């Protein structure tokens, strides 16, 4: 099938490459000239495990190509994906300007019927807005053409996006049209051989399904963070509690890790956007608001722990930081807890010496050259001359470090572990002051 994908970010690029890898003829359109130029040269703009060889192969065999020319993009596919960003607006609601800009572009250039798939995460009612925009532009051009707008939210996880697209848990499609069902079934048939993963529903339910999924996951995290704060105050160990509750199959072990708060491009913005949607219809989403505020407080926790250890005297200190990305296996630092920590440390007059296996370039792009931030090549060099170590991201290479080396490198034997990677007893025996999450001495978030 001939497919055009507008927006080659984490979602658009992975989806496009995977569709090309099964034989669809995919053209990607982006407004970012340098991204397109780089992709044409084989330079992949993001770190996503397994993506590079698929992009290389599909580009080579001509099934995946890139352009900034929207007219060429609209002419190429009878299927047009919208996979552009939906960042938070000033009030936290989803900003639809990029989605509606693509709708306008498609309507301005189309000269035959088009099948439009909304893959971006968008509030309930957006498909109606896209339909209205296309109708308005076609009317302005004085032509009448058939088109269909389908909601097809994306559930991939950064860091596992290739596998998630290859073997999705489910493919949610919101549409009331029979022909749309048939096209979507044909498009995704290669991913349905093992069993049928398609879940058809009405458009508004599909749009809400995406928010409900992310809000549920964010709720699990904030719930565990709240439990971890209680565990600290009550003298319990949250890791024992986690095992205790995870063994209940109704609860399960997934997504119940306490930590230093959720980040990334999705949870924070999607919880916020659903809260704003609720306010817009005069509903008070008490649970979602609590999820947000627990998370905001939790992101302060690492700084509070450091501040507690150094008795508020952080001026002039150098803090070693392991992990910058919002989670392992990605270079994405959007809303990462590391950013909240670094910015608080700088505010307090401290310096940061950081290492991350993949996110150093992204960190450099965000913060530029600074006296207060040294990005170093290894986790060991981050320790040199530092006063304390903080772990923000649970990359596997941080899981079993040489504690003797850490002890001899730091001027103070203190580890603030935002991901509960280490055994508090072992570290205590080795002479460290150890601050985990919900495991004894620690400072309350909030
Ligand atoms: N990142 C994730 O893990 C993830 C997962 C599921 C859903 N989503 C949703 O998917 C959408 C895209 O997210 P992302 O992380 O890929 O975003 P991104 O910011 O990485 O990429 C968006 C791309 O769209 C391009 N763009 C903007 N306006 C354009 C236009 N008019 N025409 C063509 N291209 C344009 C930008 O230049 C950019 O390259 C968002 O709604 C997001 O919430 C993201």
């Amino acid at each position: 099938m001939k497919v055009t994908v507008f927006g080659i970010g984490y979602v658009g690029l992975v989806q496009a490459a995977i569709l090309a890898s099964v034989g669809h003829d995919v053209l990607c359109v982006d407004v970012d000239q340098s991204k397109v130029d780089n992709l044409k040269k084989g330079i992949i703009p993001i770190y996503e495990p397994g993506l590079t060889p698929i992009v290389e192969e599909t580009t080579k065999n001509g099934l995946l190509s890139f352009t900034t020319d929207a007219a060429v993009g609209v002419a190429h596919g009878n299927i047009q994906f919208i996979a552009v960003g939906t960042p938070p607006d000033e009030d936290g609601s989803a900003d639809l300007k990029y989605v509606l800009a693509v709708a306008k572009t498609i309507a301005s250039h189309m000269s035959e019927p088009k099948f439009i798939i909304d893959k971006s995460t968008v509030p309930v009612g957006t498909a109606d807005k896209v339909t209205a925009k296309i109708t308005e532009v076609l009317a302005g051009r004085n032509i009448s053409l058939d088109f269909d707008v389908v909601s097809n939210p994306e559930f991939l996880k950064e860091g596992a996006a290739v596998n998630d697209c290859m073997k999705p848990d489910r493919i949610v499609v919101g549409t009331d049209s029979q022909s749309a069902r048939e096209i979507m079934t044909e498009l995704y048939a290669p991913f349905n051989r093992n069993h049928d993963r398609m879940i058809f529903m009405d458009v508004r339910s599909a749009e809400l399904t995406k928010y409900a999924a992310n809000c549920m996951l964010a709720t699990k995290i904030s719930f565990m963070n709240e439990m971890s704060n209680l565990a600290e105050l009550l003298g319990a160990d949250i890791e024992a509690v986690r095992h205790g509750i995870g063994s209940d199959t109704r609860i399960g072990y997934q997504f119940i890790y306490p930590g230093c708060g959720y980040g990334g491009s999705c949870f924070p913005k999607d919880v916020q956007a659903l809260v704003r949607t609720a306010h817009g219809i005069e509903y008070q989403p008490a649970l979602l608001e609590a999820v947000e505020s627990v998370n905001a407080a939790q992101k302060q926790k690492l700084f509070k722990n450091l501040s507690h250890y150094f008795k508020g005297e952080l001026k002039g200190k150098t803090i070693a930081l392991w992990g910058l990305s919002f989670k392992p296996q990605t270079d994405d630092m959007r809303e990462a807890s590391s950013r909240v920590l670094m910015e608080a440390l700088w505010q307090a007059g401290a310096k940061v010496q950081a290492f991350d296996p993949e996110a150093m370039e992204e960190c450099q792009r965000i913060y530029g050259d600074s006296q207060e931030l040294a990005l170093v090549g290894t986790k060991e060099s981050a320790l040199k001359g530092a006063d304390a170590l903080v772990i923000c991201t649970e990359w596997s290479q941080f899981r079993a470090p040489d504690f003797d080396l850490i002890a001899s490198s730091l001027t103070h034997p203190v580890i603030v572990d935002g991901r509960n990677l280490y055994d508090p007893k072992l570290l205590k025996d080795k002479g460290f002051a150890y601050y985990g999450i919900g495991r004894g001495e620690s400072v309350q978030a909030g």
Side-chain angles (χ1 to χ4, degrees), residues 201-218:
M201 58 183 76
D202 64 278
V203 175
R204 294 175 91 84
S205 301
E207 290 171 333
L208 185 56
T209 296
K210 174 64 196 176
Y211 283 97
N214 276 356
C215 288
M216 176 63 146
L217 295 170

Side-chain angles (χ1 to χ4, degrees), residues 6-12 29-32 35 83-86 98 101-102 119-121 154-156 158 210 265-266 269-270 334:
F6 280 89
I8 33 179
Y10 286 86
V11 167
V29 186
D30 204 289
V31 288
D32 186 332
K35 219 180 228 188
V84 293
T86 45
Y98 304 114
V102 175
K119 186 134 280 290
S120 299
T121 300
E154 181 53 58
F155 297 95
L156 65 76
E158 282 178 25
K210 174 64 196 176
S265 70
C266 294
K269 98 173 158 57
D270 292 349
R334 287 178 280 187

Side-chain angles (χ1 to χ4, degrees), residues 127-350:
D128 294 342
K129 288 186 182 163
V130 169
T131 301
K133 175 58 77 183
I134 294 173
T135 307
E136 176 199 315
V137 175
L138 288 178
R141 289 174 61 200
N142 235 346
I143 55 169
S144 166
L145 288 169
D146 282 343
F147 68 92
D148 227 320
V149 179
V150 164
S151 167
N152 173 216
E154 181 53 58
F155 297 95
L156 65 76
K157 301 181 282 298
E158 282 178 25
V162 168
N163 192 54
D164 287 348
C165 279
M166 276 291 191
K167 293 181 184 154
D169 293 332
R170 75 291 213 194
I171 301 166
V172 169
V173 177
T175 180
D176 296 325
S177 131
Q178 184 52 35
S179 61
R181 283 176 80 115
E182 284 161 17
I183 290 177
M184 293 301 277
T185 304
E186 188 184 343
L187 177 71
Y188 284 118
F191 309 96
N192 272 323
R193 281 175 57 79
N194 180 267
H195 63 273
D196 188 10
R197 295 171 162 97
M198 309 289 290
I199 303 176
F200 288 100
M201 58 183 76
D202 64 278
V203 175
R204 294 175 91 84
S205 301
E207 290 171 333
L208 185 56
T209 296
K210 174 64 196 176
Y211 283 97
N214 276 356
C215 288
M216 176 63 146
L217 295 170
T219 302
K220 287 182 89 170
I221 295 172
S222 277
F223 174 84
M224 282 310 282
N225 285 335
E226 185 141 283
M227 286 301 124
S228 72
N229 289 328
L230 285 172
E232 273 166 25
L233 291 169
L234 295 168
D237 180 352
I238 192 66
E239 288 302 320
V241 176
R242 180 172 68 76
H243 284 104
I245 64 170
S247 54
D248 182 332
T249 52
R250 293 169 304 173
I251 297 173
Y253 288 108
Q254 288 204 4
F255 254 82
I256 56 166
Y257 289 92
C260 49
Y262 60 75
S265 70
C266 294
F267 291 177
K269 98 173 158 57
D270 292 349
V271 174
Q272 246 184 51
L274 194 55
V275 166
R276 297 304 168 269
T277 295
H279 289 168
I281 47 173
E282 286 171 20
Y283 179 84
Q284 200 64 33
L287 182 59
L288 296 179
E289 285 170 345
V291 167
E292 258 197 308
S293 63
V294 167
N295 192 57
Q298 200 70 12
K299 284 181 157 177
Q300 303 290 338
K301 190 158 174 116
L302 302 177
F303 178 77
K304 285 190 175 175
N305 284 339
L306 278 172
S307 194
H308 178 258
Y309 179 83
F310 289 108
K311 302 193 170 47
E313 296 293 321
L314 283 161
K315 199 170 168 41
K317 296 278 182 306
T318 298
I319 306 302
L321 178 53
W322 285 2
L324 292 162
S325 56
F326 83 94
K327 66 172 182 180
Q329 300 299 334
T330 181
D331 58 352
D332 198 339
M333 284 184 64
R334 287 178 280 187
E335 304 275 345
S337 301
S338 64
R339 294 174 69 163
V340 176
L341 172 66
M342 288 194 290
E343 286 164 25
L345 285 170
W346 295 329
Q347 188 78 23

